[in-house]
Structures are given as C-alpha cells and as structure tokens.
Amino acid sequence: MPSRPTFKRLPRAVREQQMLEAAVRVFARRGFHAASMDEIADEAGISKPMVYAYLGSKDDLFRACVNQEGTRLLESIVAVVRDDLPADEQLWRGLQGFFGFVGAHREGWAVLYRQASAREPFAADIAALRGRMVEVIAGMLRRAVLASGAEAREPDLTASAYALVGAAESVADWLADHPEADPDHSAARLMNFTWLGARQLLQGELWQPSSA
C-alpha cells in the first residue's frame, strides 16, 4: 500500500513563515482569484489541511501576506531614517529603504500594490499603509520646514507627502518589472526630481503662473 506523505516537524512560527512566503509567491504569480490553496500548499511543500489549520481561509492567508509585506516595507523605511539627520539625508535614506524593499521583495510589492490595492476589503489595508507612509514623510518635511525657520502649514505638508508617496509608488511599479534595475538608481532619480523643488520651497520660493 502507498505510504502517506510525511512532513518534517518544525516550530509553528517557522512553518507559518514557510507558508506565508509560498503564498506571497503564488499570489504574485497567479493573482488572488486564480491562486488556489492546493497550489500554495504544494509551493510550501505541506498539506492543504495544514495551511487551513495554521492560517485559515484564503482571505485570511492573503491578509496575513499583506500585513507581512506591509510591515516589511515600513520597517525598511523607518530603520534607516534618523531624526538627527539633515532633511535631505532623511528623505534620501527613506527612498533608499523604500526602493530597497521593492528590489528585494518584488513579489511582496506585487501582492501589496497590484493585488490588494484594487480589491476590497484589502484595499483598506493598503490605504492605511499608505497613510502611515504619508505620516512619516510629512514628519520629515515638517522638521525640515521648522529647522529653516519657516511656518509649517499642515495641509501643504500632507499634500506634498501624498504627492511623494504617489510618485514613489509609480516608480516602484516600474522597478518591480525591471529586475536588472538598481533600486538605488531609482531612489536617486526620484530624489533629484523631488528634492530640488522641495529645497526651494523650504527656502520660501513659490512658483506663480505667468498670468498671475
């Protein structure tokens, strides 16, 4: 009689991480709807009942993947930005952390911004993640404005932070499709595009339409 498959005993945390990494790969490759729990179990080298027992339904598993990759993304940024650095160095390091995550976790980026962001109820999780990044960047800009002796106007800071996050997401989508691209080069391109204008804004210079 054929023997039943056996699975090496691993600590629960290690086994769950194994499942999550496999699920991220499958969701990124197949999309949420096309991905099956059978394929995820095969990718992880475990049984499907074990996936359900450890991480619940496909929705539960997908949310766990979103939370994992979102936490990794935020940690990549926060870990390299220090309050004692000049404003431009803070922004530069934050961009390096952001694009460094995308370069190292292209499948995780696909799950976050190509799968979850367009699908309820997960879109709310991505909106919350984006909001946290906006808060971090608005804080950097606020400190830079105050250090320059100017008035920090919250609506301007928030709008600028949203604009920067949106630009970073667009460049990151391009980076995710170009494995040969250097994440630091992407960070430098956006830094030059952003900081040259931000520096003038911090110095009080404002653009006005010629018809004004």
Side-chain angles (χ1 to χ4, degrees), residues 64-180:
C65 291
V66 169
N67 290 337
Q68 171 182 272
E69 299 308 308
T71 298
R72 282 175 170 173
L73 174 55
L74 282 176
E75 288 176 348
S76 297
I77 298 171
V78 174
V80 296
V81 177
R82 300 199 319 266
D83 290 349
D84 61 329
L85 294 171
D88 60 334
E89 188 68 22
Q90 288 186 33
L91 182 56
W92 164 240
R93 292 195 181 192
L95 290 173
Q96 279 188 305
F98 179 82
F99 288 113
F101 164 84
V102 177
H105 303 280
R106 286 178 165 84
E107 292 164 328
W109 174 262
V111 167
L112 285 174
Y113 281 88
R114 295 181 179 177
Q115 299 297 324
S117 63
R119 183 169 293 106
E120 294 293 350
F122 311 112
D125 297 330
I126 301 306
L129 173 62
R130 183 178 291 113
R132 290 196 292 272
M133 288 195 293
V134 166
E135 288 176 5
V136 170
I137 293 174
M140 292 182 201
L141 296 176
R142 184 181 301 107
R143 289 188 292 272
V145 170
L146 293 175
S148 71
E151 178 186 359
R153 294 178 293 187
E154 292 303 319
D156 290 343
L157 295 175
T158 301
S160 298
Y162 267 107
L164 179 55
V165 169
E169 289 173 356
S170 294
V171 176
D173 248 358
W174 175 87
L175 176 63
D177 286 334
H178 294 79
E180 76 285 356

